[in-house]
Amino acid sequence: MKKYFLFALIFFGLGCSNHKFETITIAILPLGLDEKHEYIIDEVKKSISQKTEFKVVVLNPVDMPKSTYYEPRKRYRAEKILKYLKGVKPDSVDYIVAITSEDISTAKNGKKDWGIFGLGYRPGVASVVSLFRLGNNKKVLTRRVMKITKHELGHNFGLPHCKKSKTCVMSSAEGSIKTVDRVSNIFCKACQSGLAN
């Protein structure tokens, strides 16, 4: 498991790129992704693969599984999506990140159905990011998706929400897009230390 934390150090830009580690693979799955958002897949792939030694593959697009649909609110349950992702993750990849245009939710803060930007197992191998609440401006949307994807992968690597820094990418958004915009695209020193241990 230690190798995953070493790769996390590379992924999060902590100056370890001169070391040679066995590459891990991250799969990006377009899941119920609207055609107008297809460009974001290349942006996410580019963002991860240009700054890391990760191998990034894009899986064939699939429709959102009907078993994840929550009829009372007309949206999809994120925890059911994560369960689905674990089941479809190819053995050849270490992590799978789904990008969707659909609205997703989970139980949070005493609410049965709380709309969210993303969810990732901590630790785990699966995460999902929703574009539904991230706006229509391509530049702004892309920036937000990068932060949320890094945040959810941080959970996959074992990081909890950050309570040390309000600008750490691991800060909890608490359902506010203002928080996503306020945080940086990097981890604070405390979270960097958490990745290293």
Side-chain angles (χ1 to χ4, degrees), residues 41-59:
I41 298 299
D42 286 337
E43 294 297 326
V44 171
K45 180 180 180 182
K46 192 188 321 176
S47 174
I48 296 172
S49 53
Q50 279 184 346
K51 298 179 181 178
T52 69
E53 294 180 12
F54 290 157
K55 178 181 179 184
V56 183
V57 297
V58 177
L59 303 178

Side-chain angles (χ1 to χ4, degrees), residues 29-85:
L29 176 65
L31 184 67
L33 191 68
D34 191 292
E35 286 183 6
K36 70 180 181 181
H37 291 138
E38 288 178 352
Y39 73 93
I40 207 73
I41 298 299
D42 286 337
E43 294 297 326
V44 171
K45 180 180 180 182
K46 192 188 321 176
S47 174
I48 296 172
S49 53
Q50 279 184 346
K51 298 179 181 178
T52 69
E53 294 180 12
F54 290 157
K55 178 181 179 184
V56 183
V57 297
V58 177
L59 303 178
N60 291 329
V62 295
D63 293 331
M64 189 69 81
K66 292 179 181 177
S67 62
T68 65
Y69 190 62
Y70 185 60
E71 178 64 37
R73 297 296 297 276
K74 310 294 185 198
R75 54 190 181 190
Y76 295 84
R77 297 294 291 190
E79 66 276 3
K80 290 185 177 182
I81 295 170
L82 296 185
K83 183 177 179 182
Y84 166 79
L85 292 173

Side-chain angles (χ1 to χ4, degrees), residues 111-173:
K111 295 188 178 181
K112 184 177 180 180
D113 189 63
W114 177 271
I116 56 175
F117 305 125
L119 188 69
Y121 282 132
R122 182 179 70 89
V125 298
S127 56
V128 58
V129 175
S130 169
L131 311 181
F132 188 82
R133 292 179 164 78
L134 303 185
N136 296 315
N137 180 288
K138 284 189 175 184
K139 187 175 180 180
V140 173
L141 175 62
T142 300
R143 186 169 58 245
R144 289 170 174 170
V145 169
M146 300 313 173
K147 291 179 184 182
I148 296 166
T149 301
K150 184 176 277 190
H151 178 100
E152 300 309 338
L153 281 169
H155 284 320
N156 285 167
F157 284 121
L159 289 178
H161 284 140
C162 181
K163 299 188 185 307
K164 301 282 186 182
S165 169
K166 290 184 178 180
T167 59
C168 178
V169 75
M170 289 309 298
S171 293
S172 175

Side-chain angles (χ1 to χ4, degrees), residues 82-103:
L82 296 185
K83 183 177 179 182
Y84 166 79
L85 292 173
K86 281 184 71 175
V88 300
K89 182 185 79 65
D91 291 338
S92 59
V93 307
D94 299 290
Y95 298 92
I96 183 168
V97 180
I99 309 291
T100 185
S101 302
E102 300 289 352
D103 192 12

